[in-house]
Amino acid sequence: MFRTALRNVLAHKARLLMTVLAVMLGVAFVSGTLVFTNTISDAYQKSSAKGFDQVDVAIQPESQADQGDTVGKDPKLTQPLLDKAAKVPGAASAIGVVNGFTAIADKDGKLIGGGFQSQGGNYWGDKDPRYPLTSGHAPKGTDEVAIDSETAKRAGYKVGDTVRLSVDGPVLTPTVTGIFTTDDGNVAAGGSLALFDTKTAQQLFDSVGSYDEIDVKAAAGTSQTALRNALDDVVPKDTASTTTGKQLADDQATMISSAMSGMKTGLLVFAGIALFVGTFIIANTFTMLVAQRTKELALMRAVGASRRQVTRSVLIEAFVVGAVAAVAGLAAGIGIGAGMRSLMGTLGATVPDGPLVISPGTIGTALLVGILITMLAAWLPGRRAAKIPPVAAMSSVHAKATTKSLVVRNTLGALFSAAGVAVVLYATTMDGSDGQAPMGLGAVLLIIGVFVLTPLLSRPLIAAAAPVLRVFGVSGKLARQNSVRNPRRTAATASALMIGLTLITGMTVMAGSLQKSIDKMASSAIKADYVVSMANGNALSPDVAKKLAGVDGVTDTSSLRDAPSRIDQRTEYLTGVNGGSITKLTDLTIADGAFKVGGTQVVVDKDTAKSHHWTAGSHFTVSYEDGKKEELSVAGVYEGNQMISGIIVDNATLSPHETGTASDLQVMVKTAGGASDAAKDKLEKALGDNPAIQVQDKKDISDGIAQMFTLMLNMLYGLLAMAVIVAVLGVINTLAMSVFERSQEIGMLRAIGLDRKGIKRMVRLESLVISLFGGVLGIGLGVFFGWAAGELLGTKMSTYELVLPWGRMGVFLLLAATVGVLAALWPARRAARLNMLTAIKSE
């Protein structure tokens, strides 16, 4: 039986090629994802580990948040503590670390790096061991700065150049006095690092006379653990803690691994979709192979082969096919992983140097996935093959599905579909986060139900195409009959395409609806002409609001400021605004009371009011950041949204209680003439054309969100293209085998007068009908899932509105038709070239 199985594999090379390709693509995607994420993760981990070479023990502030009835910020580390740390037994040296956001502009005034990756810090003394200088000297004073070599190379800076940069708003123009190398992971990822002398850095980053961290280097012969124990004796337990350099490196490696796991999971989901689609093709292929060898298998039973042996022979074939496909997929996946890494560099994302990582786990996963998926898909056809009675050896016609089996199948499909629809509809009545799991379960049940029902659905849907097919005469009529001749095969082929288009359509519906909802939110909630914020989402200096208020033509401004507080024994963030201008800059719907902000009067969004059982007129006690308490009254309750929510209080009330330097999240601006290019230029010039600050009108906000959604959708389309490619292979595979099965029939059609063009047209129309059938099902399911997911989002977003992208759905249907036409090219050509006499004699 083993030799027979191998002979069958070798005897049907062309038939099994498509199956090998389907499995190979899925395995290549899985192994490529693992190679890529492991390589990037390993490179970052090694790079970050180098960054801790100069740190044996780090002293860090202990978080003070949420302690007692007050809200405190993390304490700073003082100079006396640094001096003590440097003198403990076993310590060779100690360095005080200061850091914060610093945006560097290139020579065209554009921000370098990815915003959050733009960092600043202090250069310790004349020679900082953390940052070896490649040219120039250490920065001294407020007019000097050192920058990393990668940033200098990208922007074309050299020692002696003047560079424009920003720390918290105002533009600085120091001279580059030094260029250094660093193993900082942010720089390796394409960010930038600017270093000032320690005193200047402390002033710029609100750390005058203190540090964010103290790094201690051990003397020769002293272990990190021994040094840490010695430091524990001098470090105050309530305000600071100690961590070894090894622990820091391990924690960083865990963080990198965790960050990469999200990307890995996302990519593997799409790889799984490709494999899932491929499973239909494999099962379809083996079903047809078994059907074509009915006589052979029946003869094997007649000469003594048991059912188990027949099943085993089919599974051996699947094992061989899966093994070949897995090895080929692994090789292709290694190439994909290397290509994706190179692509990141092409797209401007810098990755630390490192070797391509091909772990034993990747190899094992690729082989296991390829072989296991193929054997599982072939198991059911193998069981069917074993049930072929020996008497079937007298006829080449395989027994068709019985009426009972079709009734059972349709009943199960109807039950699964009804359960899926019911669960999805129930999930839409739940709160957003609570409804996610039920909706996922309902979606799975519905897809399974539709797949099981697809043979039943194929007849009426394909029959609907009959009027169009009649235009093509005999070829069209034959194509329709061939499409419904074997409903199970048609269903399996169409289902592969259906799944891909379901996902694509559902995501497109959701993205378009979200875009519309956010546009609506921006236009309805904000009256301001412009919103000014930092490019990286960090806080703005209060000087920005003052400068904007003084610009000619500006009529109203209000900064939005977040400040922690304690209310009812829990932390709540207060949103500080300009109470006199906020009603002219926003248009929030009032649900209860009036929108009055000033003195002790505040307004609260509905969710916060509900959680505290507040209504208009309620009073509550707040404990501010400085520990002082005050009684506030709720003047009104408003409808919050993703842009503005929380407890809104006047900045005049809030500011006296803030510790440290106040900072704003954004500033809203209204101008006399409304939004215009001239007004925008005037605001940008007033801020010194700062690369770190963005001035956006409503259209800019909307375009930024649209760009994000477009990028996300394009990535998803690219990933889902793998599933569509696999589906194309499935259609080609089905048609090729169908042509082989109908060789005698095609020969007879040729003999009675149907020419080669007619044969080609028949096969192409059959392919087109099957593909459009899968496309219609996929788009229909995608719209339903997009609507259902939108209902969940609507519980969290009051402006959510369903948008059906008719144009894109038309494109998807056209894509399905294109798949059908392309997939039929080779099978149609093969059918037309059959020798009619040879075909008539075939069995």
Side-chain angles (χ1 to χ4, degrees):
M1 294 303 294
F2 181 74
R3 286 197 302 272
T4 302
L6 291 180
R7 179 185 60 78
N8 285 329
V9 171
L10 297 174
H12 305 297
K13 302 183 189 73
R15 294 187 223 169
L16 293 174
L17 176 62
M18 297 301 173
T19 305
V20 170
L21 284 174
V23 181
M24 187 193 77
L25 280 173
V27 172
F29 206 163
V30 171
S31 54
T33 295
L34 294 174
V35 168
F36 170 69
T37 51
N38 288 342
T39 297
I40 300 299
S41 180
D42 181 71
Y44 276 120
Q45 286 176 11
K46 287 180 178 176
S47 176
S48 67
K50 288 181 183 177
F52 294 108
D53 285 348
Q54 299 299 320
V55 183
D56 285 315
V57 178
I59 303 173
Q60 298 169 318
E62 192 72 29
S63 176
Q64 300 295 297
D66 293 345
Q67 292 185 6
D69 195 37
T70 64
V71 177
K73 291 184 177 178
D74 290 348
K76 297 290 185 179
L77 305 176
T78 61
Q79 183 64 41
L81 179 59
L82 173 65
D83 295 336
K84 287 181 182 178
K87 295 176 183 178
V88 299
S93 61
I95 294 175
V97 179
V98 183
N99 51 49
F101 170 73
T102 302
I104 305 177
D106 60 21
K107 292 187 176 180
D108 295 325
K110 304 297 183 183
L111 178 66
I112 297 174
F116 70 94
Q117 298 169 334
S118 303
Q119 296 294 319
N122 67 311
Y123 192 93
W124 188 257
D126 295 324
K127 190 175 182 180
D128 193 326
R130 300 172 298 169
Y131 308 113
L133 289 169
T134 58
S135 61
H137 60 81
K140 299 288 183 184
T142 56
D143 295 328
E144 294 186 357
V145 68
I147 61 175
D148 68 272
S149 56
E150 290 298 323
T151 298
K153 182 199 269 183
R154 287 199 300 272
Y157 285 126
K158 59 183 183 297
V159 172
D161 288 346
T162 299
V163 62
R164 290 170 59 80
L165 55 83
S166 172
V167 173
D168 61 356
V171 176
L172 304 174
T173 55
T175 301
V176 177
T177 62
I179 295 174
F180 59 88
T181 59
T182 177
D183 293 313
D184 188 287
N186 286 323
V187 173
S192 61
L193 181 60
L195 299 179
F196 308 89
D197 70 74
T198 299
K199 184 177 179 181
T200 301
Q202 288 175 325
Q203 292 172 346
L204 291 173
F205 301 128
D206 189 27
S207 299
V208 176
S210 61
Y211 304 97
D212 297 304
E213 183 176 303
I214 296 174
D215 294 338
V216 185
K217 184 74 175 170
T222 303
S223 67
Q224 291 187 352
T225 304
L227 178 59
R228 179 184 178 182
N229 292 337
L231 287 167
D232 283 340
D233 294 334
V234 300
V235 172
K237 302 292 186 295
D238 56 337
T239 59
S241 61
T242 58
T243 310
T244 63
K246 183 181 182 305
Q247 184 62 50
L248 288 173
D250 291 344
D251 291 345
Q252 184 82 349
T254 301
M255 286 175 61
I256 291 169
S257 180
S258 176
M260 293 301 295
S261 70
M263 180 191 294
K264 183 185 292 186
T265 301
L267 291 171
L268 286 175
V269 164
F270 290 99
I273 292 168
L275 281 169
F276 184 56
V277 172
T279 303
F280 293 123
I281 298 169
I282 300 163
N284 211 16
T285 301
F286 276 94
T287 298
M288 287 186 282
L289 286 174
V290 168
Q292 289 168 11
R293 297 193 344 247
T294 300
K295 192 170 184 179
E296 174 191 327
L297 294 170
L299 282 170
M300 288 172 62
R301 290 291 314 282
V303 297
S306 65
R307 287 188 174 186
R308 185 173 296 177
Q309 285 177 311
V310 172
T311 304
R312 194 181 302 146
S313 72
V314 175
L315 291 177
I316 290 170
E317 286 183 50
F319 175 82
V320 174
V321 171
V324 171
V327 171
L330 176 62
I334 293 170
I336 289 172
M340 288 174 73
R341 177 174 174 171
S342 300
L343 182 63
M344 287 187 71
T346 305
L347 295 175
T350 308
V351 180
D353 292 331
L356 202 64
V357 179
I358 306 166
S359 68
T362 299
I363 297 171
T365 301
L367 295 175
L368 182 65
V369 166
I371 294 170
L372 195 61
I373 289 291
T374 309
M375 292 187 70
L376 283 175
W379 177 72
L380 190 57
R383 283 197 65 199
R384 286 180 187 157
K387 291 179 180 179
I388 296 173
V391 74
M394 302 300 294
S395 171
S396 61
V397 180
H398 181 56
K400 294 182 179 180
T402 63
T403 303
K404 181 182 176 182
S405 69
L406 290 174
V407 169
V408 170
R409 178 179 181 132
N410 293 337
T411 303
L412 286 174
L415 290 173
F416 269 98
S417 298
V421 170
V423 173
V424 169
L425 292 176
Y426 171 70
T428 60
T429 64
M430 302 173 71
D431 186 61
S433 54
D434 296 335
Q436 289 176 4
M439 183 163 290
L441 174 63
V444 171
L445 290 174
L446 181 54
I447 287 177
I448 292 173
V450 171
F451 171 66
V452 175
L453 279 178
T454 308
L456 179 66
L457 297 172
S458 65
R459 288 187 177 275
L461 287 176
I462 292 175
V468 179
L469 292 175
R470 285 197 195 102
V471 176
F472 298 96
V474 175
S475 297
K477 184 177 180 180
L478 290 171
R480 184 182 67 80
Q481 290 174 347
N482 290 333
S483 300
V484 296
R485 178 187 294 181
N486 192 331
R488 289 186 174 180
R489 181 192 302 167
T490 298
T493 307
S495 295
L497 193 59
M498 177 192 78
I499 291 169
L501 286 179
T502 296
L503 294 167
I504 291 173
T505 305
M507 290 172 181
T508 304
V509 169
M510 282 187 62
S513 301
L514 279 171
Q515 175 65 47
K516 178 75 173 177
S517 305
I518 292 170
D519 287 350
K520 189 176 177 181
M521 184 190 301
S523 60
S524 63
I526 298 177
K527 290 182 184 176
D529 295 316
Y530 295 98
V531 175
V532 180
S533 60
M534 292 289 278
N536 69 324
N538 272 15
L540 286 163
S541 165
D543 293 337
V544 172
K546 292 176 184 176
K547 287 182 179 179
L548 291 171
V551 175
D552 183 38
V554 171
T555 57
D556 290 284
T557 64
S558 175
S559 58
L560 262 70
R561 183 176 302 169
D562 257 4
S565 70
R566 296 284 292 181
I567 301 172
D568 295 339
Q569 303 300 314
R570 66 187 185 197
T571 298
E572 292 278 5
Y573 277 83
L574 306 175
T575 302
V577 299
N578 181 344
S581 300
I582 191 64
T583 54
K584 301 173 186 176
L585 298 166
T586 59
D587 189 18
L588 298 170
T589 303
I590 292 295
D592 184 21
F595 200 99
K596 293 180 181 179
V597 178
T600 60
Q601 286 191 313
V602 301
V603 291
V604 185
D605 72 281
K606 281 181 71 174
D607 290 341
T608 304
K610 184 179 179 181
S611 68
H612 288 281
H613 306 291
W614 294 338
T615 58
S618 297
H619 295 264
F620 63 91
T621 301
V622 60
S623 178
Y624 291 110
E625 195 174 356
D626 62 355
K628 293 183 180 178
K629 298 181 180 181
E630 186 173 23
E631 186 175 277
L632 302 177
S633 61
V634 179
V637 178
Y638 67 94
E639 299 277 358
N641 55 53
Q642 277 66 32
M643 302 186 78
I644 302 175
S645 62
I647 303 170
I648 299 179
V649 59
D650 195 345
N651 277 330
T653 304
L654 182 63
S655 296
H657 300 289
E658 290 185 289
T659 60
T661 305
S663 56
D664 302 324
L665 295 178
Q666 60 185 38
V667 179
M668 292 186 289
V669 180
K670 193 168 184 62
T671 57
S676 66
D677 291 339
K680 186 175 182 179
D681 289 341
K682 194 180 290 186
L683 295 176
E684 288 177 341
K685 286 178 181 177
L687 298 173
D689 290 322
N690 194 319
I693 299 177
Q694 55 186 8
V695 180
Q696 295 179 298
D697 59 19
K698 293 179 185 178
K699 186 177 182 304
D700 292 330
I701 295 172
S702 177
D703 289 347
I705 295 166
Q707 185 178 11
M708 178 182 67
F709 278 119
T710 301
L711 178 64
M712 178 189 72
L713 270 181
N714 288 340
M715 288 177 63
L716 293 176
Y717 289 161
L719 293 168
L720 286 170
M722 184 70 73
V724 174
I725 291 171
V726 175
V728 172
L729 291 174
V731 178
I732 295 173
N733 212 11
T734 299
L735 290 173
M737 292 198 162
S738 179
V739 167
F740 179 84
E741 279 184 340
R742 301 194 327 250
S743 295
Q744 190 177 57
E745 175 189 319
I746 292 169
M748 289 295 294
L749 289 170
R750 288 290 314 282
I752 62 175
L754 190 62
D755 60 11
R756 288 187 173 184
K757 286 185 179 179
I759 295 292
K760 283 184 179 180
R761 191 180 301 120
M762 177 187 74
V763 176
R764 287 170 184 163
L765 289 172
E766 180 183 347
S767 175
L768 185 63
V769 167
I770 292 173
S771 296
L772 285 175
F773 170 51
V776 168
L777 282 181
I779 292 171
L781 282 173
V783 169
F784 176 69
F785 290 139
W787 165 81
E791 290 296 301
L792 273 186
L793 287 171
T795 62
K796 296 293 185 181
M797 186 179 289
S798 58
T799 57
Y800 185 83
E801 178 183 338
L802 180 67
V803 175
L804 293 179
W806 295 105
R808 291 207 177 191
M809 288 194 291
V811 171
F812 297 155
L813 201 58
L814 184 62
L815 172 66
T818 305
V819 165
V821 172
L822 293 176
L825 290 177
W826 177 64
R829 189 163 177 265
R830 182 184 177 194
R833 295 178 66 182
L834 283 174
N835 183 291
M836 67 177 76
L837 294 177
T838 305
I840 290 171
K841 290 189 296 182
S842 66
E843 294 185 3

